[in-house]
Amino acid sequence: MMQRKSVVISSVVLVAGFAIGFVLRPVIDPVTAPPTSVGSGLVPAAIAGPRGTQYFAANLDEARKIIVGCRDGSVRGDECAHAEQAVETAEGRSNTKRFLGSRPH
């Protein structure tokens, strides 16, 4: 009899705890709506984040334009470093190919 009473009390306390948790959850940690852009529904480039080194490695002309913009001060942030790294890597490969040439194996 005593064991059954303790199981019932434990179950009631457990259910009450869950109920109180669900009721207090909005008070403890309110849900906020994610930011949305008005109108188009597209994510602006500033929110999308900087383009990576792989992008600039595939688009070296764009990388060179970004580097010029970085030197002028019109472009800032991680894109400057990514573009610089992509151009340096491409120039290094080009110099290595030119130096070694096509050697027979």
Side-chain angles (χ1 to χ4, degrees):
M1 180 86 163
M2 189 64 152
Q3 186 179 10
R4 185 174 179 185
K5 190 176 183 180
S6 63
V7 169
V8 171
I9 291 174
S10 299
S11 299
V12 169
V13 169
L14 184 65
V15 170
F18 277 121
I20 291 171
F22 282 118
V23 170
L24 291 179
R25 195 249 181 238
V27 175
I28 295 170
D29 187 23
V31 178
T32 57
T36 59
S37 60
V38 177
S40 67
L42 299 175
V43 177
I47 294 175
R51 294 171 282 191
T53 306
Q54 292 177 341
Y55 171 82
F56 288 121
N59 302 299
L60 288 174
D61 293 334
E62 181 72 20
R64 289 186 176 100
K65 289 178 188 175
I66 294 295
I67 291 172
V68 171
C70 293
R71 290 183 184 147
D72 295 344
S74 61
V75 179
R76 296 182 183 175
D78 290 338
E79 281 198 352
C80 294
H82 295 168
E84 185 81 29
Q85 183 179 4
V87 169
E88 285 178 4
T89 303
E91 288 175 352
R93 285 186 184 148
S94 172
N95 290 340
T96 301
K97 254 186 192 177
R98 193 176 44 214
F99 178 73
L100 295 176
S102 59
R103 13 177 230 170
H105 293 284

